[in-house]
Amino acid sequence: MQDIIELERRIAAAFDRIDRGLETADRARATVAAPEETGENAKMSALVRALETARASSADWATRYAALESQMTDETLALANQVAQLTKELSTRTQELDAALLTSASQTPAQYATELQVLEDQMTALRSQLSAQNLELTALRTQRASEVEDLKAIVAALTPLIEEAESNA
C-alpha cells in the first residue's frame, strides 16, 4: 500500500513539473520577439509583394482586355448587321428597279431616265454607306489586333516576375 501511495506522489510531482515546464515554454514563446528580416527574407518579401502586385495588375489587364474584346465583338456584330441590312436593301432596290423596268413600258423615255437616275443615285448612296461601314469594320479589327499585341507584351513582361516570385516562394 505504501508503494502505491509513493508512486501516486511521484506521478503527481512529475505532472506538476510537466505543467510548470509547459507554462515556462508558453511564456518564453510569448516573450520572444519575431526575428528580424534577414537579407534573404527581405528579398523574399519584396518578391512576394512584386508577385502580388503583378497578379493584381495582370488580373486588371485581363478584365480590361475582356471588356475591350466584348465591346469590339459587339461593335463588329453591329457593323456586320448594318452591312447585311444595306446589302438586303440594295438587293430590294435592284428588284424594284427590275420590276419598274418591266412595268414602265408605258412611260416616256424622259420619265424612265429620271426614275433610273433616282434609283442609281440611291444605289450609289447605299454603296457609299456599305464602303464606309467596311472601312470602319477594318479599322476596328486593326485596333483590336493592336490591343491584343499590347496585352501580349504586358503579359510577356510580367511572366518572368511571376515565375521568379513563384520559384522563390
Side-chain angles (χ1 to χ4, degrees), residues 72 75-76 79-80 83 130-146:
M72 293 298 290
E75 289 177 9
T76 302
L79 287 174
V83 168
L130 184 60
S131 176
Q133 295 288 331
N134 280 331
L135 287 174
E136 188 174 349
L137 184 59
T138 302
L140 287 172
R141 286 181 179 150
T142 303
Q143 181 184 1
R144 180 179 179 194
S146 173

Side-chain angles (χ1 to χ4, degrees), residues 24-146:
T24 304
D26 287 342
R27 281 193 302 265
R29 264 189 244 118
T31 59
V32 172
E36 292 185 27
E37 287 191 357
T38 63
E40 283 291 318
N41 288 341
K43 288 178 185 177
M44 184 63 72
S45 295
L47 285 174
V48 167
R49 284 189 301 273
L51 175 63
E52 290 169 354
T53 302
R55 282 184 179 159
S57 178
S58 179
D60 183 45
W61 279 107
T63 303
R64 287 181 183 181
Y65 176 74
L68 282 174
E69 189 171 14
S70 174
Q71 179 185 1
M72 293 298 290
T73 301
D74 292 345
E75 289 177 9
T76 302
L77 183 60
L79 287 174
N81 288 336
Q82 287 178 352
V83 168
Q85 183 180 3
L86 289 172
T87 303
K88 183 179 177 183
E89 191 175 331
L90 181 60
S91 175
T92 302
R93 298 289 179 157
T94 303
Q95 290 173 355
E96 289 173 1
L97 178 59
D98 289 342
L101 288 174
L102 292 175
T103 60
S104 68
S106 64
Q107 291 182 332
T108 65
Q111 291 172 326
Y112 175 70
T114 302
E115 283 186 26
L116 184 60
Q117 185 61 43
V118 168
L119 290 174
E120 285 178 353
D121 291 344
Q122 288 176 347
M123 286 178 52
T124 302
L126 288 173
R127 285 187 181 117
S128 295
Q129 285 179 336
L130 184 60
S131 176
Q133 295 288 331
N134 280 331
L135 287 174
E136 188 174 349
L137 184 59
T138 302
L140 287 172
R141 286 181 179 150
T142 303
Q143 181 184 1
R144 180 179 179 194
S146 173

